[in-house]
Amino acid sequence: MIFDSILKAIELLVSFNGEIYSIIFLSLLISILATITAAIIGTFFGILISISDFKFKRLTKKLVFTFMGIPPVVLGLVVLLILIGPFDNLNLLFTKTAMYIAQTLLVLPIITGNIIITSEKTQKKVLETATTLGASKIDKIFLLIIETKPFIFMSVILGFSRALSEVGAVMLVGGNIRGDTRVMTTFIALNNSMGEYSMSIAMGIILLSIAFLLHTLLA
């Protein structure tokens, strides 16, 4: 079955099937946009939390670390309830925007938490120098971003991997609509439920190959 699935994966790619390539493109697009958004927000607030002293700092860190391991389906349920509740008039449910929001919220605590840990390990010497030079808090944040750049990059890669492989949240808020919100992971889940294991494995091989290629290019 594995050998047949590899052949099927090759056939899917060389067939230039518009539906297959739209699924692959949408998966990459939403995952990349969500990761970039989460990286910008997570890096800034991760470093800000690590260098600041405030009353609920310990609680804030515990919440961030807790959300790092939140089950995607639970997050998807929360986003779904918000979209059909307070933001129902925006008609975002079962749209690409809803999938982007869910993936961003999923990746955000992963990047933020890793940045907090990394920043706290490296900040002492950097902050002492920055304080001596009269740097402001914003200056310290940008200085720490420069000093922890390799670790930030690895956090972003980790976040992207989580986004690309996510299925539960995007299934709930995206609806897995053919030709609209279907991505690689929901395609695999659908075909698996239909007993089309060869197609599921084939798309899985494509997903792993794309992830490996992107990580190789970015590493």
Side-chain angles (χ1 to χ4, degrees), residues 188-204:
I188 292 170
L190 176 65
N191 280 277
N192 188 62
S193 66
M194 296 170 58
E196 297 287 344
Y197 301 116
S198 181
M199 289 291 287
S200 296
I201 296 173
M203 185 59 84

Side-chain angles (χ1 to χ4, degrees), residues 23 26-27 30-31 34 75 79 83 92-106 163 166-167 169-177 180-186:
I23 289 172
L26 181 61
S27 300
I30 293 178
S31 296
L75 177 65
V79 175
L83 295 181
L92 293 176
L93 188 61
F94 301 146
T95 65
K96 299 179 184 69
T97 302
M99 297 164 66
Y100 160 75
I101 293 171
Q103 286 204 0
T104 300
L105 293 177
L106 183 68
E166 206 296 295
V167 58
V170 294
M171 179 81 81
L172 280 174
V173 303
N176 194 26
I177 302 171
D180 188 18
T181 60
R182 183 166 296 170
V183 292
M184 286 188 281
T185 50
T186 57

Side-chain angles (χ1 to χ4, degrees), residues 21-95:
Y21 274 88
S22 67
I23 289 172
I24 294 173
F25 176 75
L26 181 61
S27 300
L28 291 172
L29 178 63
I30 293 178
S31 296
I32 290 172
L33 290 177
T35 303
I36 291 174
T37 304
I40 294 172
I41 299 172
T43 299
F44 180 82
F45 282 102
I47 292 179
L48 181 62
I49 291 170
S50 70
I51 67 174
S52 302
D53 290 318
F54 53 95
K55 186 176 181 180
F56 298 107
K57 180 175 181 177
R58 180 172 295 183
L59 176 61
T60 301
K61 290 168 59 177
K62 285 183 178 179
L63 288 174
V64 171
F65 296 147
T66 299
F67 285 126
M68 286 177 71
I70 187 173
V73 69
V74 174
L75 177 65
L77 178 60
V78 172
V79 175
L80 185 148
L81 293 174
I82 292 173
L83 295 181
I84 64 175
F87 298 100
D88 182 52
N89 61 316
L90 297 178
N91 297 316
L92 293 176
L93 188 61
F94 301 146
T95 65

